[in-house]
Structure formats: structure tokens, C-alpha cells
Amino acid sequence: MIVGESGCADAFSKYEALASALPASRQGLGSAPYRKHDGFWYPEHLMAPTLAMRDTFTARPTDVILATMPKSGTTWLKAIVYSVVHRGRHAPARERHPLLATSPHELVPFLHSLYENHRAAPPGPLLEGMPPPRLFAVHAPFTALPASVPGSGCRVVYLCRDPKDAFVSLRHYLGEIKPEGSEMTPFAEAFDLFCGGVSPFGPVWDHMAEYWKESVARPGEVMFLRYEHLKEDAVGTVRRLAEFLGCPFTDEEVASGVPEAVVALCSLDRMRCVRANRDGVHGTGRWSFKNMAFFRKGEVGDWKAHMTPEMAQRLDGIMEEKLRGSGLSLAGN
Ligand code: PPS
């Protein structure tokens, strides 16, 4: 190993050592347990990369960070933000748009994945070399973001989804991606864990409340969106998003239907047909799986097909109680 590589590996092993000393859950919602850090639970393999990201990533004012709980519409948001921000170079109505050839997860990488995939050589130079605006995604809670984020003036977009639908979506996804030979936690037990706050990057209520609070305190820098509203009024939400990102649609663009073209390009049906999304692979090693796992039904209320009314009432009640006083309410999805 050359000297530089050895130093890098050592830097990462510090975070691996930290991660392995953290409390672990007995089970997870799928086939793997979680580690607890500062009140939040993390998938074990993402703990060390998240700590490395928190300590070493330097945000720029031009960065855009998309934040979500898993299965809240991250892939959709990545596609939308990419096409809005790059519409000058890549007209959304064009047949040769990058989103028709490449997964949204490649165009807008998860920051923790960049750290996870660069254990031997930290992603610093790669990150430095990225032209503005750099687009990234995180699942990390707000308090686990790098300290440079709040002061940098960069934009943070948070997308939140009804936790009942996110839970059901997560279960399907975890079933799809589980390493061969591993066992899934049974549905009812997984639901109990979720309701107790044990879920990837959970508790879900604290994750939402942290970003909500920031969006209220700094509305010019943190935008809080709901999956359900995006479904209901995609064009209106895309227009608000463009304004927030500092690149509002011009009257001419509105008149020629550019916001509608963004929505059409990023629709589930369109994305599902892209070969890179159908056949491409996400992740590496034990945790690699087909990109198709990111695209399922994309419905509001699919939980009804998988949960009893009692389960739904229980989770709704917990969310209401935990969010009380925060100013955020999920009632009336
Ligand atoms: S991940 O792993 O956190 O990045 O997954 P994420 O993208 O957040 O969530 C996947 C769910 O989002 C749905 N999806 C979409 N909905 C609407 N439009 C588009 N374009 C879109 N792309 C993905 C996807 O189907 C998953 O939801 P479910 O309920 O499982 O269908």
C-alpha cells in the first residue's frame, strides 16, 4: 500500500472503530441491525461513512443538499432537482436528457455513499473537483450534517412522506435488497420497532421535526416538502422549488410548459422505463442490488393494503403525540 492510501485507510478506520463501539439494536426492520448515535439509529454499514461525512465535508454556498428519511421520494426529488437546476444545459423535453440514460442516484449521489465507496482514498479531491452547483442527498438527521452546512448558505430541501407509506415502502425495498441467505424480521415485529423509533435514520418523528424546525428558522435556506403535496400538485411544487433554488422559471418557460416537461420527465412511469433504472445496479458488494428496487407503486395510501386500521391508528397517534408542539402536523394527508 502506498503511503497516502495507508493514511486514508487509517482515517476511515477511526470512524469504523467509533461506529463499532456504538450501541446496536438487536434487530432491524429488514435483515440487519442498526447502530445508535446521538439519539438516531443508522444502518450499520452507513454509520462510519456518516461520521466521516459529518467531520470532513465542507459545504459551499452553491451546494444543494436533498434530505429524506428512506423511502420518502428521494429518487423522485433527485430527478426533479437535477432537471430543474440543469435545464439550461439539458432541456427536460429533449430525448437525450441525462435522466434518460443514468440513474438519478448517480447524477445526485448520496454523500454517505461517496464516503462509503472511498474508504481507501477519501472523496475530498473528488468533491473539490465537482463543478457548482453540487447536488447531494443525505438520509442523515439535521444534527448529523457537517457543521459547515448551516453557515454556508447552501440550500437544503427536505422531503417528508406519510410514515405509514414510507414503512410499507421500506419493507418492500428491504425484502428486495436483502443479502442472499439472510432472514427478514417479521412484519409485525418490524412495525413495533418502527413505532418504538428503531428504523433507519429514525426515530422518524425526530428526523422530521429537526428539519421542520430548521425550515421555519431559515426558510431561505431550508425548504420542507411533502411527498403527498408533490403528488397532488407536482407542477406547482416544482415551480416553488425552482424559486427556492434561486433559478425560478421565466414567464417564457412557464408559457412554453417547461415545468410540466420536468414533471413528465421525472414521472414514475418515465423513470421506470429508463434502461439504467431497470437494469442498472446500485451499491457495491453485499449491498448491491438492481436500481429497479427504487421504483415500485409511488402511491399515496398504499399502507391500506398492508396495515390494519389499528396499526395505522397506533402510528398516527404516536406521530401526533411526538410532533405536538413542533408546529408540524401530518394530519390530513
Ligand atoms: S431511497 O432508497 O430512500 O432512495 O428510496 P426513495 O426514492 O426515497 O423511495 C422510493 C419510493 O418512492 C417511489 N418513487 C416515486 N414516486 C413518484 N414518482 C417517482 N418518479 C418515483 N420514483 C420512486 C417508489 O415507488 C417508492 O415508493 P413505493 O411506495 O414503494 O412505491
Side-chain angles (χ1 to χ4, degrees):
M1 187 180 276
I2 57 175
V3 175
E5 277 183 342
S6 148
C8 298
D10 285 351
F12 198 84
S13 58
K14 176 178 102 182
Y15 296 108
E16 285 182 320
L18 273 173
S20 64
L22 292 169
S25 66
R26 261 194 321 118
Q27 289 165 285
L29 302 192
S31 61
Y34 308 128
R35 292 279 176 182
K36 193 174 197 181
H37 180 260
D38 266 356
F40 286 90
W41 292 100
Y42 294 75
E44 196 155 37
H45 66 293
L46 298 182
M47 189 70 255
T50 302
L51 292 173
M53 166 195 91
R54 184 201 58 178
D55 280 7
T56 62
F57 176 74
T58 307
R60 296 179 188 159
T62 47
D63 287 345
V64 180
I65 296 181
L66 312 180
T68 54
M69 282 296 279
K71 311 331 271 182
S72 300
T74 324
T75 316
W76 193 14
L77 184 64
K78 284 182 174 191
I80 289 174
V81 169
Y82 182 91
S83 60
V84 164
V85 165
H86 292 297
R87 68 187 188 274
R89 238 177 347 134
H90 305 294
R94 271 185 57 191
E95 280 309 313
R96 291 174 60 84
H97 195 280
L99 278 163
L100 298 176
T102 311
S103 158
H105 291 287
E106 270 186 55
L107 295 170
V108 183
F110 282 111
L111 255 183
H112 52 247
S113 301
L114 292 179
Y115 282 84
E116 190 190 9
N117 299 337
H118 289 79
R119 283 156 195 263
L126 173 83
L127 293 166
E128 281 303 306
M130 285 180 165
R134 301 186 302 180
L135 309 181
F136 301 114
V138 295
H139 286 319
F142 186 81
T143 45
L145 291 185
S148 60
V149 168
S152 68
C154 76
R155 299 287 191 277
V156 176
V157 181
Y158 186 76
L159 180 62
C160 136
R161 187 180 190 187
D162 179 344
K164 302 192 292 303
D165 281 335
F167 173 79
V168 165
S169 178
L170 185 60
R171 283 287 298 182
H172 279 102
Y173 172 80
L174 292 171
E176 290 278 318
I177 70 164
K178 81 180 170 65
E180 236 181 83
S182 58
E183 290 290 320
M184 287 279 283
T185 299
F187 189 87
E189 279 175 46
F191 185 70
D192 282 344
L193 286 169
F194 193 81
C195 288
V198 185
S199 65
F201 306 93
V204 58
W205 45 87
D206 286 338
H207 200 280
M208 290 177 182
E210 277 193 354
Y211 281 98
W212 171 256
K213 200 170 141 216
E214 279 306 308
S215 74
V216 172
R218 300 187 296 121
E221 287 161 42
V222 183
M223 184 182 207
F224 194 97
L225 295 175
R226 302 270 299 271
Y227 182 91
E228 295 75 20
H229 297 166
L230 196 47
K231 288 284 290 186
E232 212 174 86
D233 178 17
V235 172
T237 310
V238 162
R239 288 182 63 177
R240 282 200 299 124
L241 193 48
E243 264 177 50
F244 171 77
L245 295 174
C247 52
F249 291 99
T250 61
D251 291 346
E252 226 170 56
E253 284 181 309
V254 171
S256 60
V258 179
E260 284 81 358
V262 167
V263 171
L265 171 66
C266 302
S267 70
L268 186 53
D269 285 345
R270 192 87 195 269
M271 289 287 102
R272 227 201 294 262
C273 294
V274 171
R275 183 184 286 173
N277 294 334
R278 220 180 34 228
D279 305 329
V281 170
H282 183 84
T284 49
R286 204 171 131 77
W287 291 106
S288 66
F289 53 87
K290 278 228 170 146
N291 281 333
M292 203 54 203
F294 292 112
F295 305 92
R296 199 178 61 96
K297 287 184 171 177
E299 285 174 4
V300 172
D302 184 44
W303 61 265
K304 291 182 188 127
H306 303 274
M307 269 184 205
T308 62
E310 291 73 29
M311 290 168 102
Q313 258 176 21
R314 177 178 165 202
L315 184 49
D316 284 345
I318 292 172
M319 292 304 294
E320 200 184 317
E321 185 202 320
K322 299 284 187 184
L323 292 176
R324 195 168 294 142
S326 70
L328 171 64
S329 167
L330 302 186
N333 276 327

